[in-house]
Amino acid sequence: MDALIQQIADCKAEMAQFDSQQPDAAEVFRIRYLGTKGVVKSLMGEMKQVAPDQRKEMGQRMNELKVLAEQQWEQLKEQQQAAPVAGVDTIDRTLPGTTLTAGTRHPLSIVRNEIVSIFRRLGFAVAEGPEIEDDWHNFGAMNLPEDHPARDMQDTFYIQQQPAWLLRTHTSSVQARVMEQQKPPIRVICPGRVYRNETISARAHCFFHQVEGLYIDEQVSFADLKQTLYFFVQEMFGSSVKVRFRPSYFPFTEPSAEMDISCLICSGKGCNICKHSGWVEILGSGMVHPSVLENFSIDPNKYTGFAFGMGIERITQLKFQINDLRLYSQNDIRFLQQFTGVV
Ligand code: DAH
């Protein structure tokens, strides 16, 4: 009798220690305590040994143990239902989603697209050419004589000397490719990357981007050049910007001119960007040299044309006030994210 009381007490103590975290805890518990071969059943079997006058009391104790075991089993089942089960979808679909940060266009792409769209409105088509060029398209056809300093090894990245293959030093090479394939009237702009062997600093880089323009037809005049570029500047920078043309020299144009705009940073008062002159140079231009036209069998007595070339980095610098060229190619996310939402 006392031995059975002790066994019941031991069983209760053991149940209290049961590891509820083990896998399938409820079922393990049921088999161990409430199953047909379980602890509670086998203790019940011991009742036969109990003297009849003690059966009532012992019966109560047994019943208590059984109720306790059943309660604990119920608890374990509930606990298991509440816990997430691997493979079962427990996502709360009413929660707001995580926002995906939109990608950003590179500032140079933003500005290139804007330049292209302005000239498109004037009827210019986009033309592209290869970045690896031969000597003829980059230099010869563009009227750059053999001994011109721009051909110097120091400026040009040569891939091969004889015959010469090089990384184009300007997008004027695309002019040559267009004139080779098309007859006037020609009206194209050519955006692209160019390469020069420069020491990298805040003001110079070994690669940068240009947009070339070429317009050839009968009776194209310098006045057309001026008006076209003036229109471009006003669209790009606003109507209050002033322009001025300065005589200059390029082998592929005659006459040639560089165009300045009034400094956007200091509105002409003088600052570091305009080197205290109030003016910033943004492009080179001129009337296509007759020899260049002849190189492509375009009759210079019948046709005239103008051309221009500008650096996209420079326009972008003025538009967004970026004063270090290296920022464009460093891929610093803090720099690039500032252009989120700018189309
Ligand atoms: N190719 C010149 C450069 O890289 C830019 C340029 C000047 C292009 C005058 C032109 C032009 O088409 O007419 O500096």
Side-chain angles (χ1 to χ4, degrees):
M1 166 75 189
D2 283 350
L4 194 54
I5 290 174
Q6 187 57 48
Q7 276 177 304
I8 292 171
D10 288 349
C11 179
K12 279 186 186 174
E14 198 193 291
M15 280 176 4
Q17 302 274 308
F18 185 79
D19 174 14
S20 63
Q21 300 303 315
Q22 62 182 295
D24 270 338
E27 188 57 6
V28 174
F29 185 91
R30 188 190 66 76
I31 293 165
R32 171 147 182 79
Y33 297 101
L34 298 166
T36 32
K37 290 179 184 150
V39 180
V40 176
K41 271 269 158 61
S42 81
L43 287 177
M44 291 245 190
E46 301 289 316
M47 284 290 282
K48 287 184 277 200
Q49 320 289 337
V50 176
D53 61 330
Q54 291 175 337
R55 283 218 181 122
K56 192 174 171 213
E57 195 207 324
M58 196 54 80
Q60 272 172 0
R61 283 179 195 263
M62 278 293 176
N63 212 39
E64 221 181 82
L65 178 68
K66 198 177 159 215
V67 168
L68 202 70
E70 278 168 352
Q71 273 175 359
Q72 195 164 338
W73 180 47
E74 287 300 328
Q75 255 177 27
L76 287 168
K77 282 198 289 189
E78 270 173 39
Q79 198 181 333
Q80 209 167 336
Q81 269 167 10
V85 179
V88 173
D89 192 351
T90 52
I91 296 165
D92 181 353
R93 281 162 213 288
T94 62
L95 286 173
T98 14
T99 25
L100 288 175
T101 32
T104 70
R105 264 191 224 294
H106 193 281
L108 293 175
S109 302
I110 296 169
V111 170
R112 182 207 52 214
N113 291 350
E114 198 169 337
I115 297 171
V116 166
S117 99
I118 294 169
F119 283 103
R120 275 223 161 120
R121 275 182 267 147
L122 291 174
F124 284 76
V126 174
E128 285 182 338
E131 290 181 17
I132 298 176
E133 264 299 5
D134 52 45
D135 188 272
W136 168 250
H137 291 95
N138 195 79
F139 294 131
M142 285 294 108
N143 208 25
L144 275 123
E146 289 273 317
D147 53 357
H148 195 279
R151 289 190 182 209
D152 199 306
M153 284 289 287
Q154 261 139 47
D155 290 321
T156 308
F157 286 116
Y158 281 89
I159 289 169
Q160 185 181 292
Q161 282 294 325
Q162 282 301 332
W165 284 103
L166 47 92
L167 295 178
R168 68 181 178 197
T169 59
H170 55 182
T171 43
S172 301
S173 59
V174 189
Q175 278 192 35
R177 298 216 163 251
V178 169
M179 283 189 267
E180 210 166 52
Q181 284 158 13
Q182 297 177 28
K183 290 281 148 254
I186 291 170
R187 204 165 7 174
V188 291
I189 43 160
C190 323
R193 181 174 289 176
V194 301
Y195 302 83
R196 281 181 208 174
N197 195 356
E198 303 258 11
T199 309
I200 297 168
S201 71
R203 307 178 127 260
H205 212 294
C206 59
F207 68 85
F208 52 99
H209 301 80
Q210 292 186 328
V211 175
E212 188 82 13
L214 177 68
Y215 181 21
I216 301 172
D217 203 349
E218 290 176 38
Q219 294 179 358
V220 175
S221 70
F222 200 86
D224 296 323
L225 179 159
K226 284 173 82 175
Q227 191 53 43
T228 303
L229 294 177
Y230 185 53
F231 174 82
F232 162 71
V233 165
Q234 294 217 314
E235 291 294 299
M236 191 74 200
F237 296 110
S239 52
S240 59
V241 175
K242 296 197 210 57
V243 303
R244 76 176 185 192
F245 287 83
R246 275 179 298 104
S248 185
Y249 171 76
F250 299 102
F252 30 87
T253 46
E254 182 58 37
S256 305
E258 280 173 317
M259 189 175 87
D260 299 342
I261 61 169
S262 52
C263 183
L264 299 156
I265 315 292
C266 63
S267 327
K269 287 186 208 81
C271 69
N272 280 342
I273 304 284
C274 62
K275 298 192 202 109
H276 301 279
S277 70
W279 295 95
V280 199
E281 182 213 316
I282 63 159
L283 56 82
S285 64
M287 300 305 291
V288 180
H289 198 289
S291 311
V292 174
L293 296 175
E294 274 166 0
N295 282 337
F296 299 97
S297 310
I298 297 171
D299 182 358
N301 296 315
K302 187 171 179 206
Y303 294 106
T304 49
F306 68 75
F308 58 88
M310 67 181 101
I312 303 181
E313 276 80 353
R314 168 57 68 88
I315 309 279
T316 311
Q317 171 190 43
L318 295 171
K319 191 119 183 130
F320 295 123
Q321 309 195 1
I322 298 161
N323 51 20
D324 190 331
L325 274 175
R326 290 166 295 193
L327 285 166
Y328 294 124
S329 50
Q330 275 165 341
N331 273 343
D332 187 333
I333 200 81
R334 293 165 303 176
F335 171 70
L336 297 170
Q337 270 172 347
Q338 295 178 67
F339 303 95
T340 315
V342 188
V343 182

